[in-house]
Amino acid sequence: PPRSTLFPYTTLFRSNPVMRSHFPHFENVVFHQEAVWVRDGEAPFYLSRAYREDGSTLLSTKTTGFLDMQHPITVRCLNLGAWIKKTFREHDRILLKLDVEGAEYAILESMMRDGSIAYIKGLYAEFHWHKIGMAKTDHDIMIHHLAKSGLPAAPWDALGQ
């Protein structure tokens, strides 16, 4: 949408093609069938073999979610930080919810480096450090850097547990 009509609207990114049918057309929702990531292009995407299609990811290091590591599909990726800077202005009110099965660390680090994190006014994230082989101390460092930048991460739990 043009900048003058950005609000209110929601942008939804889902790279899993199975999930597309779960998101019919809603007014003021822009759907992108792309994975948010740290660069534009294509990447292998590991689908879950579970009934509910939970836990698919860009990360080959993820150890949960019944992933089919032998048969990844290729998905389009979008550099989230660059897209935010191109699409919005820094004073716009952007609330970001990330549930990207381990990719949140690389994405948030990239956004801190490129300055796009300053565009985010609220962050809700489901962190998956324990599912990708990351040390809890590294996770804690990320949380500290986010809080230091003025953006404390509110917890998000997609399963409500």
Side-chain angles (χ1 to χ4, degrees), residues 10-99:
T10 300
T11 300
L12 175 66
F13 293 92
R14 290 302 300 220
S15 52
N16 187 336
V18 174
M19 299 302 288
R20 179 60 178 115
S21 64
H22 297 289
F23 297 97
H25 176 75
F26 291 107
E27 191 173 326
N28 296 329
V29 175
V30 178
F31 183 89
H32 295 265
Q33 193 160 338
E34 297 171 286
V36 293
W37 190 225
V38 298
R39 62 174 175 77
D40 293 333
E42 293 184 335
F45 187 73
Y46 304 94
L47 293 171
S48 174
R49 296 182 309 254
Y51 167 72
R52 289 179 21 176
E53 305 296 334
D54 288 339
S56 300
T57 186
L58 289 169
L59 301 183
S60 63
T61 57
K62 187 166 184 263
T63 59
T64 63
F66 305 103
L67 299 172
D68 183 352
M69 302 308 275
Q70 305 306 312
H71 305 98
I73 63 171
T74 300
V75 297
R76 287 187 323 216
C77 296
L78 174 124
N79 179 326
L80 182 61
W83 179 83
I84 286 170
K85 289 172 82 171
K86 180 177 72 175
T87 307
F88 298 97
R89 292 174 286 225
E90 194 169 336
H91 69 272
D92 287 336
R93 182 161 170 74
I94 302 171
L95 303 176
L96 177 62
K97 184 201 65 96
L98 277 178
D99 184 359

Side-chain angles (χ1 to χ4, degrees), residues 38 85 105-117:
V38 298
K85 289 172 82 171
Y105 297 98
I107 292 168
L108 291 168
E109 287 172 4
S110 176
M111 291 177 69
M112 284 189 273
R113 277 193 310 275
D114 73 13
S116 61
I117 200 77

